[in-house]
Amino acid sequence: MNLNQIHNVYFIGIGGIGMSALARYFQYIGKNVSGYDKTPTMLTDELIAGGMDIHFEDNINLIPKDYYVENTLVIVTPAVPVTHSEWNYFIERQFTVKKRAEVLGIITKDTFCFAVAGTHGKTTTSSILGHILYESGADVTAFIGGIVENYHSNLIGKGKTISVVEADEFDRSFLHLHPDIACVTSMDADHLDIYGDKNSIEDSFREFADKVEDKKHLFVPKGLPLEGLTVGINEEATFKAFNVRVENGYYVFDVQTPSETIENIQFGLPGRHNLMNALMALAMAKTYGTPTSAIAKALAVFRGIQRRFSYQIKTDDLVYIDDYAHHPTEINAVHQAVRELYPEEKVLAIFQPHLFSRTKDFADDFAKSLSQFDEILLLDIYPARELPMEGITSEWLLSKIENKHKKLVSKADLIPSILESKAKIIVTIGAGDIGELVPKIKKALS
């Protein structure tokens, strides 16, 4: 498919974080962009303010009339049901309909493509990498699954020769990509509704890794069962971070690379998982040929991503942090970071489970990770693309949490419950619509 011949791009599910980055890209290169989404959000508000025509009702009569032509590309998110009337309208009339991952594959095929894969860490690692490359003057566009604080956008740069993409394992989407340099940050079990078991998801990651022809251009954490250059903290690896300490709220550390030792790198995101993400991005940029001084300078000024350990309030009396964590491993990482920063303080965690299937598959692990916090408020499961499953509820999950300071709350009762707590550190966690509640929580606490 030749994108030069496309005049209009219509998105079904335009408000998704990955879809909206593509929408911004196509608008930038001069295409007409419009679309549908289920509900208005802060993201869709921004797209509308930028000139895109967006509606929130599945109604073919709301599709702009000038999109009823053959040079319209339709991009659909996997979250949309196959019964969606607008989707079926375009299919029945034989329009070009592609999934987001397929379009990313087309865009990046003719670029030097950096692909960041892994069940955790994709968004942070790809945003750090995109930031490093952009700050170094590279001709890059990075498509990010989150809003990067430095740019207030999920699109970094407007380059034509280099791309940075998140290689998403959901629906095996990452197999559409053509990576020149890639990493796999982790291979934990997830999306078992798609894969069935852990072995299948690992096989899919191996298939992705095999798309990188030069194994010196594939980076993996030490101990991950994939062939590539290794990255590690305080352990022998091709790229090794050591002498790690915390100074004035920053990580300061040294890195041993195959060619040099880089001393006193500063990086401001808390948590060992973020240190690992920064090290992975450093290894990829260094291998590409980005100057060491440019890498160090970019890492020192990287401010993070919205909803990734994002400080909402930070005073001597109260700290409120918001995080997108929706898997037990990610919740453990949030807990580790909070305890490292505030070892003596009481911590309240508010968690909204994401997907019935994920809650069912990892219930015991969720219970264990949540039990580590001093207090837990649990919201109902956010269904996203799924229908309810019998017996799989937040009440059931709550019964598994071995911490007596736990409570199931509705959204209506959430803020009063938070205000009742004596915790100095408050953390909201989850990938559903809990992010939409953050401004209200922040206002109430302020």
Side-chain angles (χ1 to χ4, degrees), residues 45 59 73 75 126 181 220 222 245 252 254 259 328 381 401 429:
D45 290 347
N59 184 342
L73 167 65
I75 304 176
S126 55
I181 293 180
V220 298
K222 187 74 180 290
R245 60 266 190 211
V252 182
D254 303 334
S259 59
I381 297 169
I401 295 174
I429 309 169

Side-chain angles (χ1 to χ4, degrees), residues 22-186:
L22 271 183
R24 284 173 162 147
Y25 169 79
F26 278 115
Q27 186 183 53
Y28 166 70
I29 64 171
K31 311 299 182 185
N32 301 317
V33 178
S34 69
Y36 155 89
D37 210 291
K38 193 174 179 181
T39 50
T41 62
M42 289 180 278
L43 257 180
T44 56
D45 290 347
E46 289 176 10
L47 298 180
I48 292 168
M52 296 183 199
D53 183 348
I54 299 173
H55 60 269
F56 303 96
E57 179 189 343
D58 178 14
N59 184 342
I60 59 174
N61 294 319
L62 297 177
I63 300 169
K65 294 292 182 279
D66 50 355
Y67 281 61
Y68 296 149
V69 291
E70 62 181 20
N71 57 7
T72 292
L73 167 65
V74 180
I75 304 176
V76 63
T77 174
V80 170
V82 292
T83 55
H84 197 275
S85 60
E86 293 186 17
W87 185 3
N88 284 287
Y89 176 89
F90 285 115
I91 290 173
E92 288 163 5
R93 285 154 184 78
Q94 298 184 324
F95 277 74
T96 301
V97 180
K98 299 280 187 187
K99 290 182 179 179
R100 170 180 164 268
E102 293 177 282
V103 177
L104 270 180
I106 293 165
I107 291 171
T108 60
K109 188 174 182 180
D110 296 325
T111 66
F112 188 96
C113 178
F114 291 85
V116 178
T119 43
H120 322 293
K122 287 188 295 292
T123 298
T124 304
T125 304
S126 55
S127 60
I128 298 168
L129 178 60
H131 171 69
I132 290 170
L133 294 171
Y134 179 78
E135 288 289 303
S136 73
D139 183 42
V140 65
T141 297
F143 299 87
I144 308 298
I147 303 298
V148 188
E149 295 283 11
N150 295 67
Y151 306 91
H152 304 292
S153 177
N154 49 357
L155 198 68
I156 299 176
K158 295 173 179 176
K160 294 182 172 60
T161 58
I162 303 165
S163 59
V164 176
V165 295
E166 293 184 34
D168 191 358
E169 74 278 3
F170 176 75
D171 203 23
R172 296 177 172 83
S173 293
F174 55 6
L175 300 181
H176 291 290
L177 300 173
H178 308 276
D180 294 286
I181 293 180
C183 71
V184 177
T185 63
S186 51

Side-chain angles (χ1 to χ4, degrees), residues 159-424:
K160 294 182 172 60
T161 58
I162 303 165
S163 59
V164 176
V165 295
E166 293 184 34
D168 191 358
E169 74 278 3
F170 176 75
D171 203 23
R172 296 177 172 83
S173 293
F174 55 6
L175 300 181
H176 291 290
L177 300 173
H178 308 276
D180 294 286
I181 293 180
C183 71
V184 177
T185 63
S186 51
M187 292 197 312
D188 291 335
D190 198 3
H191 302 301
L192 297 185
D193 55 324
I194 302 292
Y195 287 97
D197 57 37
K198 186 176 181 181
N199 290 336
S200 296
I201 194 168
E202 288 183 354
D203 287 343
S204 194
F205 274 107
R206 288 188 188 93
E207 192 175 346
F208 168 77
D210 287 342
K211 295 175 77 72
V212 184
E213 294 179 6
D214 184 351
K215 294 308 173 192
K216 290 182 179 179
H217 283 179
L218 177 67
F219 298 88
V220 298
K222 187 74 180 290
L224 208 67
L226 292 174
E227 181 188 350
L229 299 186
T230 55
V231 175
I233 301 170
N234 292 328
E235 58 181 339
E236 286 309 313
T238 315
F239 287 81
K240 179 180 86 169
F242 63 101
N243 193 21
V244 180
R245 60 266 190 211
V246 177
E247 296 178 4
N248 299 320
Y250 279 77
Y251 278 122
V252 182
F253 58 100
D254 303 334
V255 175
Q256 182 65 57
T257 79
S259 59
E260 65 179 317
T261 300
I262 312 170
E263 295 184 340
N264 298 323
I265 296 173
Q266 285 192 336
F267 184 66
L269 299 196
R272 287 294 170 116
H273 60 298
N274 280 324
L275 185 57
M276 191 68 175
N277 294 335
L279 186 58
M280 195 71 78
L282 178 152
M284 296 171 79
K286 184 71 182 160
T287 300
Y288 178 69
T290 307
T292 301
S293 58
I295 296 173
K297 184 179 177 184
L299 286 175
V301 298
F302 183 73
R303 297 207 306 271
I305 304 146
Q306 289 180 14
R307 304 221 61 229
R308 301 305 196 281
F309 211 89
S310 177
Y311 280 100
Q312 303 300 309
I313 298 172
K314 192 176 185 182
T315 68
D316 291 339
D317 300 320
L318 180 69
V319 173
Y320 171 31
I321 297 161
D322 179 46
D323 197 280
Y324 187 74
H326 54 284
H327 185 282
T329 302
E330 296 167 347
I331 296 172
N332 287 334
V334 170
H335 180 263
Q336 181 273 322
V338 168
R339 291 296 185 207
E340 184 176 50
L341 290 166
Y342 308 103
E344 306 299 325
E345 302 296 346
K346 187 175 184 180
V347 183
L348 166 66
I350 300 122
F351 179 55
Q352 181 190 48
H354 184 261
L355 300 179
F356 296 102
S357 59
R358 184 181 282 125
T359 306
K360 172 177 171 284
D361 291 335
F362 303 109
D364 291 340
D365 293 329
F366 275 125
K368 190 175 179 181
S369 61
L370 290 168
S371 293
Q372 301 173 96
F373 295 95
D374 299 303
E375 291 181 27
I376 306 104
L377 296 179
L378 194 62
L379 290 163
D380 284 332
I381 297 169
Y382 182 77
R385 57 185 178 270
E386 293 183 339
L387 295 172
M389 292 182 175
E390 188 175 351
I392 308 303
T393 64
S394 284
E395 195 169 13
W396 171 70
L397 175 59
L398 190 78
S399 71
K400 291 176 171 288
I401 295 174
E402 294 181 356
N403 183 329
K404 63 182 180 181
H405 302 292
K406 61 182 180 178
K407 183 181 175 184
L408 185 66
V409 295
S410 66
K411 287 180 187 172
D413 294 333
L414 178 59
I415 288 175
S417 297
I418 293 171
L419 295 176
E420 284 174 12
S421 173
K422 298 292 191 288
K424 180 178 174 180

